Amino acid sequence: MLNVFTLANGRLFQEEIDNPTALAGVQPVWVDLEAPTAEEKGWVRARFGLAIPEDVVDEDLEESARFYEEDNGELHIRSDFLIDADSGPDGQGSRNVRVAFILYEKVLFSVHAEDLPVFRLLRLRARRIPALIEDAKDVLLKLYDADAEYSADALEGVYDNLEKVSARVLTQDVDDRSAGEALAAIAREEDLNGRIRRNMMDTRRALSFLMRSRMLNAEQFEEARQILRDIDSLDSHTAFLFDKINFLMDATVGFININQNKIIKIFSVASVGLLPPTLIASIYGMNFRLMPELNWDYGYPFAIGLMVASVAAPFLYFRRKGWLR
């Protein structure tokens, strides 16, 4: 999909591009390529003289491979953008999507494999708010700003979900099934929290590169610094959530251990309670010829009654002590 945006009266407008002739007739400020076809890449190459990279999903984290400038003035940036579980299609869950940015000839080119909530958010705002964007660099900064805001909203969702898990774990009797569900929910929130932190770290690196490149004007430089301050506040919040996640994880595992200890305690009490009758049965099972009760008419009922009493006495004692609860 080829999305081409032009500036008019301080607002972004999307142009209908279905052939190379239509692309040649516009002067865009932002060209967004979502899972582009070879034909669409050819249109961009013919119109702007720009080769679209194939390694958008390259996992190389070295700064020299993710932030660099070509001899012809192309500025390349690789950034990760977050997709929360609620925004992902087909229940794919939370994930980070790699986006390749190229600043060339006052046009921002973005290449990614799937639609991103942050991009939709910026397009909506840029159509409604006048003078929000003045050039291609503003588009890039506004994308990073929207990404930080989107991550903040996702963190609020993590906190709300952890509060629900906390209410379930700390205010109710937790059996093994509910504990397993709580552990699964905690693991999902921990994964999302980690992805948010990684996303913010990546955004910080990209903004630092832009600021060092000296391509931003004074207003844009200050905006980049403000986004970095927002990211710093999000970092402290992710650290707080990691502590909360660890606490809930430990509490849930503790309840599982308590439930297991209850089962082990029951088996231990049963074993101790059955020791006296086993001893009695062993004594009367000996094959000695001279045994006092051997020819006694009431010997068998006496032995059975003695075994029942030896079982009942320990269990009554354990129950009085509260060990059977």
Side-chain angles (χ1 to χ4, degrees):
M1 184 180 298
L2 183 62
N3 301 307
V4 178
F5 300 91
T6 58
L7 273 178
N9 299 323
R11 288 186 173 93
L12 275 183
F13 286 91
Q14 185 170 356
E15 304 290 342
E16 295 292 337
I17 303 297
D18 53 7
N19 57 70
T21 304
L23 182 61
V26 297
Q27 185 59 46
V29 68
W30 180 21
V31 178
D32 182 42
L33 297 98
E34 178 188 335
T37 64
E39 183 181 23
E40 291 170 339
K41 292 180 180 179
W43 295 355
V44 172
R45 186 182 303 109
R47 168 66 174 83
F48 301 99
L50 180 69
I52 302 300
E54 299 289 343
D55 57 343
V56 175
V57 295
D58 184 12
E59 295 297 333
D60 193 350
L61 296 180
E62 294 183 3
E63 187 168 0
S64 60
R66 300 187 65 177
F67 313 108
Y68 61 93
E69 186 173 1
E70 297 282 8
D71 294 337
N72 61 354
E74 295 178 13
L75 191 70
H76 291 256
I77 299 175
R78 301 290 192 275
S79 290
D80 292 334
F81 285 80
L82 178 70
I83 294 183
D84 196 356
D86 296 334
S87 301
D90 303 327
Q92 295 182 31
S94 303
R95 59 199 181 279
N96 295 93
V97 176
R98 180 65 50 82
V99 179
F101 291 111
I102 305 174
L103 272 172
Y104 181 62
E105 297 292 337
K106 299 182 180 180
V107 181
L108 175 67
F109 299 87
S110 56
V111 188
H112 47 99
E114 55 186 301
D115 190 24
L116 294 167
V118 171
F119 283 54
R120 295 197 302 267
L121 178 61
L122 177 63
R123 292 196 295 263
L124 179 63
R125 287 180 174 175
R127 284 196 299 265
R128 293 182 175 180
I129 304 176
L132 180 67
I133 292 174
E134 296 181 358
D135 57 22
K137 292 175 289 184
D138 274 341
V139 175
L140 185 56
L141 287 176
K142 291 299 187 295
L143 282 173
Y144 286 133
D145 187 23
D147 190 36
E149 183 178 343
Y150 181 79
S151 297
D153 292 338
L155 281 178
E156 292 179 1
V158 171
Y159 185 84
D160 292 340
N161 292 334
L162 289 177
E163 284 295 299
K164 295 177 183 177
V165 176
S166 177
R168 189 193 323 169
V169 171
L170 303 180
T171 62
Q172 301 177 5
D173 293 334
V174 180
D175 55 17
D176 290 345
R177 180 178 179 180
S178 60
E181 293 174 351
L183 285 176
I186 293 172
R188 287 193 298 270
E189 301 310 320
E190 192 278 337
D191 177 71
L192 177 55
N193 194 45
R195 291 182 182 279
I196 293 172
R197 187 154 195 163
R198 172 188 169 182
N199 189 55
M200 290 296 94
M201 178 185 68
D202 182 85
T203 303
R204 179 187 287 110
R205 293 172 62 190
L207 288 170
S208 298
F209 172 74
L210 286 174
M211 295 170 72
R212 292 195 305 270
S213 67
R214 299 181 180 179
M215 60 178 295
L216 304 178
N217 58 39
E219 185 177 351
Q220 291 169 341
F221 191 88
E222 181 58 32
E223 182 178 1
R225 291 182 59 184
Q226 180 59 48
I227 298 173
L228 289 177
R229 285 193 289 266
D230 293 339
I231 291 175
D232 289 338
S233 65
L234 292 180
D235 279 344
S236 61
H237 198 60
T238 57
F240 162 74
L241 288 178
F242 274 126
D243 292 338
K244 187 175 182 65
I245 287 170
N246 289 332
F247 166 73
L248 288 176
M249 187 75 72
D250 292 340
T252 305
V253 172
F255 283 121
I256 293 175
N257 293 333
I258 290 174
N259 292 336
Q260 292 177 345
N261 290 336
K262 289 180 180 178
I263 297 174
I264 295 174
K265 182 175 66 175
I266 291 175
F267 280 106
S268 300
V269 170
S271 300
V272 173
L274 293 176
L275 282 178
T278 303
L279 176 61
I280 296 171
S282 299
I283 292 174
Y284 285 106
M286 293 186 293
N287 294 320
F288 293 112
R289 185 172 61 84
L290 298 176
M291 294 183 66
E293 295 85 359
L294 188 60
N295 296 318
W296 186 28
D297 293 340
Y298 299 101
Y300 178 73
F302 174 76
I304 295 296
L306 190 61
M307 285 189 286
V308 172
S310 66
V311 172
F315 275 96
L316 289 174
Y317 177 78
F318 294 152
R319 183 176 181 182
R320 184 177 179 181
K321 289 291 187 179
W323 295 350
L324 297 179
R325 298 176 183 174

